[in-house]
Amino acid sequence: MRIAALSLAGLLACSAQAAVITEELEYRVGDQTFKGYLAIDDANPGPVPGVLVVHEWWGHNDYARQRADMLAKLGYAALALDMYGDGRQASHPEQAGEFAQASLASLPQAEARFNAALALLAGDGRVDGERIAAIGYCYGGGVVLHMARSGADLDAVASFHGSLTPLAAPLLAGSQTRIAVFNGAADPMVPAEQLRAFRQEMEAAGADYLLVDYPGALHGFTNPAADQAAARFGLPLGYDRDADQDSWRQLQAFLQASLARKEE
């Protein structure tokens, strides 16, 4: 009987453990359909903070979804959104560049695409719509920084190996959005003068920001697929395990501090 009781207790314990569920979503902006991927721990008893994940210039691919899964395991509701439409993915850098440029050719249109996903996440009954952050990689890093600069209703944004140059106006003084930037010091796409200008922008705005510059790290340092892309296309990319792990560790502390403020 004791063995049976222990077995039952173990079964109940397993059933009570966190279980991340994922959902394929579709939403519309104007007359175009966009693909979303939501990951959430269904064991959480109440509304949880939300995090938007903006993909690299390759498009809405498995990498963005993997990051959403990782965030869900930390207790967030994570939505990997789609900035290109129809979940399009590029197979070549030229195509990726075309997709990225087209999506940003009209900043109001780009903002509408982001804000549609923001509204979708914030409006989910399992999500605390008052506590939302956004993270982005490469192209997506530039997008989330732009949304912070444009005054989007976000508690925090974090950019990983993204462009730091404003797409339009710089960050407004008094902005309440916390900002984190994780940059590769050896990334030729983010030269030293861009880094200096970003620091000056943040200081001028009185921003609450974190800037981490990883020595020797290249563009794409968080993505294990960067090495393959570098070899295949001759791009200045490279995965850096130490920088990847440290930036993810720092992101966790950053999100916890940023999204816990409204619990007080």
Side-chain angles (χ1 to χ4, degrees):
M1 290 295 293
R2 184 171 184 271
I3 294 176
L6 287 173
S7 298
L8 178 58
L11 179 61
L12 291 174
C14 289
S15 65
Q17 288 179 352
V20 172
I21 60 172
T22 61
E23 300 174 6
E24 301 281 346
L25 304 176
E26 284 193 356
Y27 54 102
R28 295 186 67 81
V29 183
D31 59 356
Q32 190 171 8
T33 299
F34 292 79
K35 307 289 186 180
Y37 174 87
L38 179 69
I40 188 169
D41 178 358
D42 70 350
N44 285 317
V48 298
V51 182
L52 294 165
V53 182
V54 188
H55 52 75
E56 298 173 298
W57 73 337
W58 302 110
H60 181 94
N61 58 14
D62 287 342
Y63 181 65
R65 293 177 171 221
Q66 289 166 8
R67 291 297 181 177
D69 290 341
M70 293 169 70
L71 287 163
K73 291 176 182 177
L74 296 174
Y76 301 102
L79 175 61
L81 57 82
D82 174 13
M83 288 295 293
Y84 295 164
D86 298 316
R88 285 185 296 173
Q89 298 177 35
S91 58
H92 190 279
E94 290 185 4
Q95 186 182 37
E98 291 172 0
F99 285 172
Q101 290 177 13
S103 73
L104 298 175
S106 167
L107 289 180
Q109 180 185 69
E111 292 165 8
R113 293 177 177 183
F114 180 94
N115 285 326
L118 174 58
L120 182 66
L121 180 63
D124 190 301
R126 298 164 294 181
V127 178
D128 182 349
E130 296 297 317
R131 292 188 291 157
I132 304 287
I135 70 173
Y137 295 85
C138 180
Y139 158 90
V143 169
V144 300
L145 288 176
H146 172 71
M147 296 310 300
R149 289 166 170 139
S150 68
D153 187 14
L154 296 165
D155 289 291
V157 301
S159 167
F160 296 83
H161 42 84
S163 173
L164 306 181
T165 301
L167 297 175
L171 188 71
L172 293 173
S175 171
Q176 297 301 302
T177 301
R178 302 182 78 227
I179 294 174
V181 165
F182 303 99
N183 183 67
D187 185 349
M189 302 181 193
V190 185
E193 55 267 27
Q194 190 177 134
L195 210 61
R196 286 194 295 271
F198 176 78
R199 286 195 180 98
Q200 292 171 359
E201 177 192 357
M202 295 297 106
E203 294 295 334
D208 183 352
Y209 79 103
L210 168 70
L211 174 58
V212 184
D213 203 29
Y214 293 103
L218 291 168
H219 193 75
F221 64 81
T222 66
N223 192 341
D227 291 337
Q228 181 181 358
R232 183 179 179 188
F233 300 115
L235 296 173
L237 309 174
Y239 177 64
D240 187 310
R241 181 179 178 182
D242 290 341
D244 176 26
Q245 293 182 346
D246 183 75
S247 60
W248 187 252
R249 177 185 60 80
Q250 295 212 47
L251 174 71
Q252 292 179 54
F254 175 75
L255 289 177
Q256 185 175 22
S258 301
L259 298 177
R261 291 182 300 161
K262 293 186 177 181
E263 292 178 334
E264 297 174 356

